[in-house]
Amino acid sequence: MLSLVSITSSVPEPIMPDAPVALPRPLLTQQWLDLTFVHWAVDPADVAKLLPQGTVPDTVDGVTFVGLVAFRMHKVGWLRLPGVPYLGSFPETNVRLYSVDAHGRRGVVFRSMDASRLLPVVMGRLAFRLPYVWSRMSVRTGEDTVGYTSARRVPGPRGAYSRLVVRPGERITEPTGLEHFLTARWGMHNPFFGDAGFLPNDHPRWPLHRATLVSCEENLVESAGLPTPMGEPVSVLYSPGVPVRLGRPIPPPRG
C-alpha cells in the first residue's frame, strides 16, 4: 500500500497539451463532441477524502478544482471495431476531480458520470467500476448557444440535475497554463484493482474556445460529495470535440 508520504514526494509529470504516448492497440475508441468545461476552485482538503487510495489532489498554487463537463459521446467502439451509432452515442455529464499518483501521473477522478443510455451505464459500472448513472438528458445547439440538461434516474440520488447553457466564443490560439491543466489530462485514476489503477487515453490537441456561461443550475457537484460551488466559475471553455482512444487499465504498483 502506498503511503501519503511516498505519494506526495513524487514529482508530478509536466502538463503536456499533446498526448505523451500514442496507444497502438486501444481498448475503446469514441468521439467526445460539443464539450463544455465549467470549473470552480476548491480546497484540496475537501477533495483528498474523495480520491482513490494511492492518489492525492493535483493542485495549482495550492488550489485544486472540480469540473462539470457536459458533452456528447459519439460512436463508442471496442478494439478496432467501428463505433456503435445508437447505443454508443449519447449525452453525458461528468463531475470530475484532478489527481496525481506515486508515479507522478496526472489524471482525473470521476465522482459521477450521468449518461442517457442504460446499457453503457451498466457496462461502465460492471466492467470498469465507474460511477455511471442513468439520466434523462439532452444536448441542444442553438444559433449561438449550446444547452445541456440532465435529470437523474437510477441509481440516485433522485433529484440530482443540471441545466447549462453556454455561448462559445473565439478559438483560443494560446491556452493559459490553467486551461492546459484542466483539459490536457491523459488518463483517469479509478479503483480498478482496489487501489488506484490508471487508464490512459490519447487524442489530438484540444481545439478550445473560451465561452460565456449564460445559465447554470445544478446540484450534481453537491450530490458528488463536494461543497456547493459559490460564486462564478474560474474557467468556462468549449470545444467542438476530438476523437479519443482509451487504453487498458494499468494496475497500481505493489509494494
Side-chain angles (χ1 to χ4, degrees), residues 28-45:
L28 288 167
T29 60
Q30 53 204 242
Q31 297 176 53
W32 300 340
L33 304 178
D34 290 322
L35 297 96
T36 287
F37 304 84
V38 182
H39 283 93
W40 294 270
V42 64
D43 189 331

Side-chain angles (χ1 to χ4, degrees), residues 1-10 44 47-58 97-110 185 187-192 194-199 250 252-253:
M1 182 179 297
L2 296 171
S3 70
L4 183 61
V5 172
S6 67
I7 296 168
T8 55
S9 63
S10 63
V47 168
K49 60 189 177 184
L50 302 176
L51 299 182
Q53 188 170 2
T55 65
V56 295
D58 200 3
L97 304 173
Y98 296 86
S99 52
V100 61
D101 64 20
H103 293 287
R105 293 178 300 205
R106 291 181 142 120
V108 299
V109 171
F110 293 107
R185 314 299 291 196
M188 76 170 81
H189 291 111
N190 196 60
F192 301 110
D195 287 350
F198 186 76
L199 191 150
I250 302 169

